[in-house]
Amino acid sequence: MPRTEISAHFDAARWGRLHPGSAVQSACWIDIMLSRLPGKPLTVLHEDDDGAALGFVGAVVTEPGAYEAYNPWTILRADPEVFPAAHADGPVAPQLGGAAEDMLPSVVLSAPGYLGDPVGPAARRPEAVRDCLSAVLDHARDAGLATVCVLYSTPEGAAVLDPVTTELGGASFDLTSRSVLEIGWADWDDYHSGPRNRRRAEILRQLRRLADAGGEVVREDPRPRFDEVVAARCCLLRHYGQPADEDSERRRLHALIEAFGDDLVLYSVVREGRLLAHALFVAQDRVLQNIYAGTTEEGRATPYAHLAATYYAPLMYVTGKEFDRIDYGVGHETTKRLRGCLVVPLRGHLLPVGGR
């Protein structure tokens, strides 16, 4: 008989046995970064009749002011819009109403890297995913919660989650996109050849402007710049109106270095030894995964420092011998498309609990 276990902690060993394929769904990543989700953690492990397993990870989001990108109320009802795509076809589940208490508290299922696909050998079995989410709905109802929400499913995940959501009385919706750069070049010069040649002049112009301003593009070990990386990260968060807890960022970066070691790579723009902007990546299974960026006030005033650290530096140093693609995560679709990224649509899935 299928069984589903829902717990308020994260078991890295059991999760690892599901063999997640993405860096942001790996056990070590989730163990380090789960505190980024704005609520008490929640792990769902399901075992099918034949022993095949699947899992979700997430949090119970209770506060209307919780971080907007993992908050179903802000995503679906807030003004201004968090993600315009979620509003393009009109209100999702209009029967729920527009007040925060109509959607919160909510079980929000997504890894803290904007990826909500179920993980594990049974993750592509619709009946297993249905049984699992049905158990989550029962758990949410018993706890007096309003909704269950799966956020940031890829096309592969949505192929299962869309019909399951409909079967369980919910609604699926377009959410945002994930940008991926396929690597097909031998070196920096080869990157500009062929169909990419039209971008060559503009990229080189921007890099000349940066160099004229004293900026140098480098690939580094993040450890010697630990304090500067944290400071630039917090500066960028504050610039966009997000919470910037320096102690938490220090703990996360330290844990990432301990977990990933030399697979953690920092691309930076520096001037006279000072860090202006950076982009932190982790290398895993021929994918270079963008973790986060940081920019100082000085870097923000320096032309193209952020673009160079985030986009041009990896192109200078990465080749197809090492990696198949660079995953740039969600948001800023236009900027990423102009840098040659492919855009992968992401979906959300809202399940009203009912009967609470």
Side-chain angles (χ1 to χ4, degrees), residues 9-268:
H9 68 278
F10 180 67
D11 187 327
R14 293 180 67 189
W15 185 266
R17 288 196 287 272
L18 296 174
H19 302 292
S22 167
V24 298
Q25 287 184 315
S26 66
C28 58
W29 168 267
I30 292 172
D31 200 29
I32 295 164
M33 306 300 285
L34 194 56
S35 62
R36 272 191 168 182
L37 299 183
K40 293 182 179 179
L42 188 115
T43 307
V44 182
L45 297 173
H46 177 85
E47 189 172 292
D48 222 351
D49 281 328
D50 61 358
L54 69 90
F56 290 94
V57 69
V60 178
V61 177
T62 60
E63 298 299 323
Y67 178 48
E68 60 185 17
Y70 295 107
N71 183 336
W73 178 66
T74 55
I75 288 172
L76 294 174
R77 298 292 189 264
D79 183 19
E81 299 169 350
V82 178
F83 298 118
H87 300 258
D89 296 324
V92 175
Q95 75 276 12
L96 285 179
E101 58 267 25
D102 295 326
M103 291 191 181
L104 300 177
S106 178
V107 172
V108 175
L109 300 176
S110 174
Y114 307 104
L115 187 55
D117 289 0
V119 169
R124 294 296 179 263
R125 296 181 181 180
E127 65 281 0
V129 175
R130 180 202 62 217
D131 291 345
C132 177
L133 289 179
S134 180
V136 177
L137 278 169
D138 290 341
H139 171 85
R141 187 175 299 109
D142 292 343
L145 309 184
T147 58
V148 172
C149 197
V150 184
L151 296 178
Y152 307 106
S153 67
T154 66
E156 294 77 17
V160 175
L161 286 164
D162 276 5
V164 166
T165 299
T166 300
E167 186 176 351
L168 293 174
S172 298
F173 53 95
D174 292 332
L175 182 55
T176 183
S177 62
R178 195 172 197 94
S179 298
V180 177
L181 184 64
E182 300 291 342
I183 299 171
W185 57 88
D187 53 32
W188 174 237
D189 289 333
D190 183 49
Y191 170 75
H192 297 294
S193 66
R196 294 177 293 273
N197 190 55
R198 67 185 182 277
R199 291 191 290 271
R200 176 185 176 91
E202 178 60 18
I203 291 173
L204 295 181
R205 183 192 71 80
Q206 292 179 5
L207 288 172
R208 281 195 299 271
R209 284 281 310 279
L210 177 62
D212 290 345
E216 180 185 1
V217 180
V218 294
R219 174 176 174 165
E220 302 183 290
D221 181 336
R223 284 165 280 206
R225 288 198 183 272
F226 188 99
D227 291 338
E228 289 180 282
V229 169
V230 170
R233 175 60 180 167
C234 290
C235 183
L236 185 66
L237 290 171
R238 285 191 291 268
H239 176 74
Y240 285 107
Q242 297 179 23
D245 185 330
E246 185 170 331
D247 289 339
S248 295
E249 294 298 333
R250 292 181 68 87
R251 287 193 296 271
R252 290 190 188 108
L253 181 56
H254 177 75
L256 287 167
I257 291 170
E258 288 293 308
F260 292 105
D262 292 339
D263 289 331
L264 200 65
V265 181
L266 187 71
Y267 295 99
S268 306

